[in-house]
């Protein structure tokens, strides 16, 4: 007997019409003691199983409840009902696992908007819902599209270290990693923690970025990218922050800022086009959910576009490329600014942009994704390349509707002496980054790269609003269950 | 002017023959002040650049040294020399970066066997060598093949947590993760560390495996796999151990042990076939290096097969499937055992197998990859499914020539009460794993999965011998540089 998954079966059923097959899954619904909606996770679609009381063991049928797991053998026939191509006439049904209690059924199997929070506490079970099934299938597709894009463009995937002795950009607080028993920490003669006794013989942290190591790799392999977890020990309890999240960081030898922006635009459009093409069913479900959610909002807060429409628009429109200086002028001259509608008024060149400014540019002024570039050097990291004006650096941020910054990157400073000056200015320890400086001493070349937070992109693509709902087991302040 | 990478250029040069192109890379050699071997990391092959003194700036040419980075514009012509299809007649050469000092040249650019250790201390520069270029391109190809295999087979990629409150299998020592300043750790009234004050409000560690979380995901999504970093705080200074390594863990609902073995065999063969097909140039280089290395060994220690031959044999041969019980009999009756040649004599059923026993089975007795299954329950983890004999569990290990265990897996215990009994027996905390038990309470199904250590596989495929040479920035006791 051929074992199949529902996705394969629904995709190409003609060959097995009127054949017997075996199928396994979980009961999503059991109507009229006759129709089982079976799901096996491979697709959002359920397979309809038709039960014939006369032919099957009554004691088994009585015990079939929502969320029971079943193994069914039966004949594939064309469906009588609307909305499905085929169904299975069950000849044999076996209950594999215990079924849900009524309680679980309520919280886990019928997720309403108000219960997403409850489901977060049941992260181990939420994979079983339609909503999270779709979200995590889409997340998987986004991840595959990322690998495929880079693979097609001759990039090499590299793994940069998770445990690190360095603090890449002084970016926020880091988690410490130690093999010490915290009740018995060795101390030196001054009573300070003696890290030389720890596993690595030094103080180590969880990485905040693989960029600096990726730069070293690009200096030999040319085009590389990382795709791995990064960490921030920031006590931010928001819908946008995670203590542990996944980051993608390409780094390309010989690329300048313009090449870098081209790469970012191609990359984002490739992923979104991939998902539109390969996750149709899940996106249609998420699109409906998104529309429903909009209805419950006050009119002024509703999204202008539907979810799928928004995704299609992003790939259709050319991203607007605007220098920081132009953007500041637009913002300073905007009605919003003049009427005092920004929480943070834009007063002069040099100001850091806030989320409200980014959204104004993307959603109101340009009505398209925006790439801002050439930022004041003071508000950007030490490794970004100093422009000839000596005031700005070759940085770029990609801003998306509804979500703000989705990619941040730059051309890197490849000139040793300029880099060293900048490190002094910004108090970055040259001694600790000896190896990074080395990459500028021997065969240094212009190069550029960027970082994409995977969860931000998945939020955008799925239309979900809380970042904790697009990663299987979110890590946030006071929460590391599972 | 079209910018190209060397791999594209060598692959499809006919269309651009006699056109001008721009190419960028690093000088691998500069012969007779006339021929530059240029490499850009995209392939192990260098592109030959022909320099015409009369047409180019002498001061530039004088400064071209090994490892200089260059930007060259010139005409693509068919090559006069042997061993290359095309070369570039340079019309313009620009030096992009400083060149190597003589010292760097010696240590980094001419890696001999004895200098692999030196290169480990220059991990940021070793990407620039032929050897490590090949190793990391192959590692990237292996990683892509893994994603492609699962994608084609309708698996979903999931990210399981890196920071965890749980100790999955009691597998070895774990690294602690904390946001505490170790000089000022909050303590409770008993003087114990007060973890409720730490970032996550509890004691947290770096994960040793994503399996238990992957099982939860498989109960909703059906077929899933993880691919992420895992950690061991074991003080093992060997050629086989890393404190931080990458693991792949598929988990499949409705699979039994036999399905699991089939999956493991298909998976390994897919990856190796992929690399043989897509990394021909790098494998040829590594094959030669491997052969050279064998020559320097005493005859009895030499590998029986060449590197490529070994890989071809693995995909050609059906893996031998042998129960633990059969294996013990074979070992007990072997000449080696009877003559006392094993360091650990095999005396009775129940013994844990040592590396020497695994290698005897694979390399001498069967001369093929071996899958051992149905191990004594006492020597395996709590989550493995108890067989009907009540003595063994549905575990499986895949053993490869030269390397021993490359995959370990099992069918999981899906029966709640049997699982609970086993946890009690083995002192696994039910309270901590409440959510794991939940997955057996609601719609539990038979399922199975395994783990593959990426670096072990890359060692096997590249013929390298030290695991620190197949991960870009190795983490080992007293070593967390970069």
């Amino acid at each position: 007997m051929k074992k199949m998954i529902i996705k394969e079966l629904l995709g190409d059923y003609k060959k097995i019409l009127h054949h017997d097959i075996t199928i396994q899954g979980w009961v999503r619904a059991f109507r009229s003691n006759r129709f089982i909606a079976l799901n096996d996770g491979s697709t959002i679609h359920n397979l309809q199983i038709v039960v014939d009381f006369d032919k099957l063991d009554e004691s088994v049928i009585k015990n079939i409840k929502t969320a029971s797991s079943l193994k069914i053998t039966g004949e594939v026939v064309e469906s009588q009902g609307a909305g499905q191509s085929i169904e299975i006439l069950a000849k044999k049904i076996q209950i594999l696992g215990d079924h849900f209690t009524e309680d679980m059924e309520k919280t886990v199997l019928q997720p309403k908007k108000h219960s997403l929070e409850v489901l977060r506490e049941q992260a181990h079970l939420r994979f079983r819902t339609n909503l999270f099934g779709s979200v995590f299938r889409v997340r998987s597709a986004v991840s595959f599209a990322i690998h495929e894009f880079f693979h097609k463009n001759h990039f090499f995937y590299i793994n940069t270290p998770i445990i690190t002795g360095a603090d890449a950009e002084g970016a926020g607080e880091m988690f410490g990693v130690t093999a010490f028993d915290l009740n018995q920490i060795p101390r030196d003669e001054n009573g300070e923690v003696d890290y030389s006794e720890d596993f690595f013989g030094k103080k180590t942290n969880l990485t905040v970025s693989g960029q600096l190591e990726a730069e070293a790799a690009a200096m030999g392999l040319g085009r590389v990218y990382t795709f791995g977890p990064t960490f921030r020990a920031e006590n931010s309890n928001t819908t946008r922050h995670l203590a542990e999240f996944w980051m993608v960081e390409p780094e390309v030898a010989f690329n300048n800022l313009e090449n870098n922006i081209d790469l970012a635009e191609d990359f984002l459009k490739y992923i979104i086009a991939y998902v539109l093409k390969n996750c149709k069913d899940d996106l249609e479900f998420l699109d409906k959910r998104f529309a429903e959610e909009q209805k419950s909002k006050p009119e002024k807060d509703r999204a202008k576009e539907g979810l799928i429409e928004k995704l299609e628009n992003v790939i259709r429109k050319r991203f607007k490329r605007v220098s920081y200086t132009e953007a500041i002028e637009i913002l300073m001259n905007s009605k919003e600014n003049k009427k005092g509608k920004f929480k943070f008024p834009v007063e002069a060149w040099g100001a850091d942009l806030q989320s409200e400014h980014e959204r104004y540019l993307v959603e109101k002024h340009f009505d398209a994704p925006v790439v801002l570039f050439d930022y004041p050097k003071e508000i950007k990291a030490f490794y970004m390349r100093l422009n000839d004006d000596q005031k700005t650096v070759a940085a770029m941020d990609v801003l998306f509707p509804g979500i703000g910054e989705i990619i941040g990157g730059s051309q890197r400073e490849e000139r040793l002496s300029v880099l060293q000056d900048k490190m002094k200015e910004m108090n970055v320890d040259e001694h600790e980054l000896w190896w990074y400086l080395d990459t500028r001493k021997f065969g240094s070349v212009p190069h550029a790269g960027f970082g994409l937070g995977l969860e931000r992109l998945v939020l955008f693509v799925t239309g979900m609003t809380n970042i904790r709902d697009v990663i299987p087991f979110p890590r946030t302040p006071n929460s590391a269950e599972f």
Side-chain angles (χ1 to χ4, degrees), chain A:
Chain A
M1 202 73 57
K2 199 170 157 50
K3 269 209 287 189
M4 295 188 78
I5 58 173
I6 294 176
K7 190 179 181 185
E8 289 174 309
L9 188 61
L10 295 178
D12 186 22
Y13 61 85
K14 296 233 162 94
K15 274 185 281 183
I16 48 160
L17 213 53
H18 303 300
H19 286 70
D20 280 4
I21 61 152
T22 293
I23 203 96
Q24 299 174 95
W26 293 271
V27 178
R28 284 290 164 88
F30 187 21
R31 286 185 299 115
S32 325
N33 261 348
R34 189 160 159 74
F35 302 108
I36 299 171
L38 195 77
N39 190 284
D40 67 1
S42 64
T43 159
I44 193 162
H45 294 303
N46 300 323
L47 180 65
Q48 175 151 293
I49 313 292
V50 183
V51 175
D52 187 340
F53 245 92
D54 298 337
K55 290 191 188 147
L56 295 161
D57 185 348
E58 202 189 312
S59 68
V60 170
I61 296 173
K62 272 188 177 167
N63 280 312
I64 296 173
K65 303 237 169 90
T66 306
S68 294
S69 47
L70 305 181
K71 181 175 183 175
I72 293 161
T73 300
E75 186 188 340
V76 181
V77 298
E78 278 177 290
S79 182
Q80 309 302 310
Q84 57 223 357
S85 47
I86 51 163
E87 56 194 28
I88 307 293
L89 295 182
K91 295 184 175 171
K92 199 177 151 194
I93 298 184
Q94 183 192 344
I95 296 181
L96 296 170
D98 308 305
H99 33 80
F100 268 53
T101 63
E102 293 293 312
D103 265 12
M104 289 315 292
E105 206 170 307
K106 273 180 210 143
T107 56
V108 175
L109 288 174
Q110 294 165 0
K112 299 248 160 50
K113 199 183 142 236
H114 62 268
S115 66
L116 288 181
E117 204 160 328
V118 176
L119 277 173
R120 254 167 249 149
E121 285 162 22
Q122 307 289 334
H124 60 305
L125 297 177
R126 62 181 180 170
F127 299 103
R128 305 172 179 211
T129 65
N130 275 337
L131 177 58
F132 287 94
S134 284
V135 167
F136 293 125
R137 278 189 297 267
V138 170
R139 182 182 166 111
S140 174
V142 166
S143 301
F144 188 73
I146 289 167
H147 285 294
E148 194 178 74
F149 172 84
F150 287 124
H151 177 72
K152 283 186 180 169
N153 287 286
H154 306 293
F155 281 69
F156 301 108
Y157 176 52
I158 56 155
N159 297 121
T160 48
I162 309 302
I163 300 173
T164 168
D167 174 353
E169 356 180 347
E173 291 172 61
M174 300 175 86
F175 287 105
V177 174
T178 178
F180 284 150
D181 173 349
L182 297 196
N183 280 306
Q184 299 181 317
I185 296 179
R187 295 180 182 275
D188 61 19
E189 59 265 33
N190 302 319
E192 296 286 308
V193 175
D194 185 1
Y195 287 107
S196 72
E197 293 284 311
D198 206 349
F199 187 92
F200 295 109
K202 63 191 290 196
K203 192 174 181 323
T204 51
N205 299 307
L206 288 179
T207 184
V208 297
S209 161
Q211 177 201 314
L212 303 193
E213 291 89 354
E215 286 186 54
M219 296 301 95
L221 296 167
R223 300 179 185 177
V224 302
Y225 71 107
T226 72
F227 188 166
T230 50
F231 306 84
R232 297 280 188 286
E234 274 165 41
N235 208 338
S236 304
N237 248 316
T238 79
T239 57
R240 292 294 169 84
H241 290 86
L242 290 168
E244 172 182 313
F245 57 99
W246 286 69
M247 189 121 93
V248 180
E249 297 180 284
E251 194 69 40
V252 188
F254 312 112
N255 262 11
N256 61 22
L257 186 67
E258 197 187 341
N259 306 142
N260 202 37
I261 297 174
D262 289 342
L263 180 69
E265 182 165 349
D266 290 348
F267 171 64
L268 288 167
K269 286 180 170 174
Y270 184 91
I271 297 166
I272 292 169
Y274 180 95
V275 172
L276 280 168
K277 187 177 166 207
N278 293 283
C279 305
K280 247 177 166 324
D281 300 341
D282 287 318
L283 281 185
E284 274 163 18
F285 173 83
L286 292 166
D287 187 75
K288 269 183 211 139
R289 181 194 163 274
F290 186 79
E292 283 298 319
E293 206 185 44
Q294 297 306 312
K295 278 185 208 160
S296 69
K297 291 183 175 180
E299 200 160 330
K300 69 173 182 48
D301 293 341
R302 289 184 198 163
K304 288 190 299 185
E305 310 162 304
L307 177 63
I308 292 177
E309 189 187 2
K310 179 186 79 175
L311 299 177
E312 284 168 345
N313 278 335
V314 165
I315 47 177
R316 198 174 44 76
K317 289 178 184 168
R318 192 164 187 282
F319 294 5
K320 295 282 174 193
R321 300 176 184 208
V322 185
S323 74
Y324 166 89
T325 303
E326 288 173 78
I328 283 288
E329 271 168 37
I330 291 167
L331 288 166
M332 286 205 293
N333 293 325
S334 68
K335 268 190 214 159
E336 273 72 3
N337 198 48
K338 288 179 177 162
K339 289 188 178 168
K341 292 214 171 151
F342 286 139
K343 199 174 151 201
F344 299 90
V346 181
E347 284 166 350
W349 192 95
D352 208 349
L353 297 185
Q354 305 296 324
S355 160
E356 59 179 343
H357 308 136
E358 295 175 349
R359 295 192 59 170
Y360 172 81
L361 292 168
V362 174
E363 292 161 33
K364 298 216 164 147
H365 190 82
F366 289 109
D367 192 26
V370 171
V371 188
L372 294 185
F373 60 89
D374 288 349
Y375 283 78
K377 63 178 180 179
E378 288 79 10
I379 60 173
K380 289 287 180 183
F382 75 91
Y383 50 71
M384 297 189 177
R385 193 178 196 277
L386 189 64
N387 286 325
D388 290 346
D389 63 14
Q390 306 290 316
K391 283 167 55 189
T392 61
V393 287
M396 54 87 114
D397 284 344
V398 181
L399 313 178
F400 260 22
I403 206 143
E405 183 191 324
I406 195 150
I407 273 181
S410 71
Q411 184 172 341
R412 318 306 188 185
E413 184 55 75
E414 89 280 13
R415 296 161 298 185
L416 181 63
S417 61
V418 184
L419 182 63
Q420 284 172 318
D421 288 349
K422 189 68 95 56
M423 286 169 80
K424 269 188 209 101
E425 251 171 58
M426 294 188 142
N427 289 316
V428 179
D429 188 355
E430 274 201 36
H431 190 70
E432 193 188 284
L433 290 181
W434 65 272
W435 59 272
Y436 186 65
L437 289 168
D438 259 13
T439 61
R440 272 61 175 177
K441 287 179 186 162
F442 316 115
S444 183
V445 296
H447 60 288
F450 60 77
L452 165 91
L454 177 68
E455 285 77 16
R456 286 270 176 103
L457 181 58
V458 179
L459 271 184
F460 183 77
V461 172
T462 57
M464 300 295 284
T465 47
N466 192 319
I467 202 159
R468 300 172 195 203
D469 293 334
V470 298
I471 188 167
F473 300 95
R475 294 302 179 236
T476 54
N478 286 309
S479 173
E481 199 57 75
F482 314 107

